[in-house]
Amino acid sequence: MSLLVSFLDAQLIIGGVPILWREIIGNVFGLAAAIGGMRRVVWAWPVGIVGNLTLLTVFLGGVFHTPQDVDLYGQAGRQVMFLAVGLYGWWRWSRDRRISAALPGQAGVEAVAVHPHWATGRQRAGLVAGMIVGTLVFGWIFSELGSWGPWADAWIFTGSILATYGMARGWTEFWLLWIGVDIVGVPLLLKAGYYPSAALYLVYGAFVIWGFVVWWRVDLAERAGESSPGERSQQVAVG
């Protein structure tokens, strides 16, 4: 128990501002999961789940009496939703990887967990509708709960869930959803005093653009049949 309490209370002072180590650690796990997602490897999901559990305690600042002492229910709630969607993504990528490995001609070739592709028109319409409805519904809920910055938090919450679901389905558009989340997330987290998370959102902003290009290139190559499965895996591994 003492080790858990020490971990929850551990802080780093930067420029006179107390920063929780668990906020830094949780975001590092999140970045590692994003890198794994770009490379289409199954371990991205369990790594992300560890980060979600850690950040859940961070964004309930009022509950855990952290230096920020601000409850962002949307940020905390999305960690819970990430756990559910993460378990689904972990199962789906594991299943698809086994199916890919069992295909003829795959002997000696490292199987990837997902093949990037664009969503259909109906699926894209569903994402747009989900983004609008989710932001309105959760914005109202967060306002009633007294969450700090409820409407921006609702946008981030909804976009994060849809992006994670899109990643599990292998839709290339999920990277674009993350860009929309980052644009709103950076100013919200800066105002709330969650500086490591805000800084990581800036890193994510550049990273998701890179990830989008990588998945787009892989999708084009696979559809055109320009490279073998082994060459595609190597292409993604090197970015």
Side-chain angles (χ1 to χ4, degrees), residues 15-222:
V17 178
I19 303 296
L20 289 168
W21 269 109
R22 51 192 160 100
E23 184 179 357
I24 297 173
I25 293 172
N27 280 306
V28 168
F29 271 84
L31 181 59
I35 293 173
M38 185 188 69
R39 298 185 63 178
R40 300 181 291 159
V41 291
V42 176
W43 59 254
W45 295 103
V47 167
I49 288 173
V50 173
N52 299 148
L53 288 171
T54 305
L55 290 174
L56 175 61
T57 69
V58 173
F59 292 117
L60 291 178
V63 175
F64 289 90
H65 302 292
T66 62
Q68 294 85 0
D69 202 26
V70 172
D71 287 326
L72 292 180
Y73 293 129
Q75 293 289 328
R78 76 177 188 142
Q79 305 305 321
V80 177
M81 293 298 295
F82 278 155
L83 293 175
V85 180
L87 290 172
Y88 166 73
W90 192 355
W91 166 79
R92 186 180 181 101
W93 280 29
S94 297
R95 183 202 65 177
D96 292 350
R97 187 178 186 278
R98 289 193 298 270
I99 294 174
S100 180
L103 292 175
Q106 295 298 306
V109 176
E110 182 180 357
V112 294
V114 66
H115 294 281
H117 59 281
W118 293 100
T120 65
R122 178 174 296 182
Q123 290 166 341
R124 290 178 185 172
L127 289 175
V128 173
M131 196 70 191
I132 295 173
V133 174
T135 300
L136 293 175
V137 171
F138 288 115
W140 176 78
I141 292 175
F142 296 156
S143 296
E144 292 297 307
L145 291 174
S147 180
W148 196 88
W151 294 103
D153 216 9
W155 171 272
I156 296 169
F157 179 87
T158 305
S160 298
I161 300 307
L162 291 176
T164 305
Y165 178 72
M167 174 179 166
R169 295 294 302 271
W171 297 339
T172 305
E173 287 92 342
F174 93 88
W175 295 104
L176 301 179
L177 287 171
W178 275 127
I179 293 176
V181 168
D182 292 340
I183 290 173
V184 176
V186 172
L188 175 70
L189 292 171
L190 284 175
K191 290 181 180 178
Y194 291 95
Y195 302 115
S197 296
L200 190 67
Y201 268 45
L202 287 173
V203 175
Y204 276 148
F207 176 80
V208 295
I209 295 174
W210 178 27
F212 170 70
V213 172
V214 169
W215 273 43
W216 190 5
R217 286 171 54 197
V218 172
D219 177 43
L220 289 174
E222 289 188 347

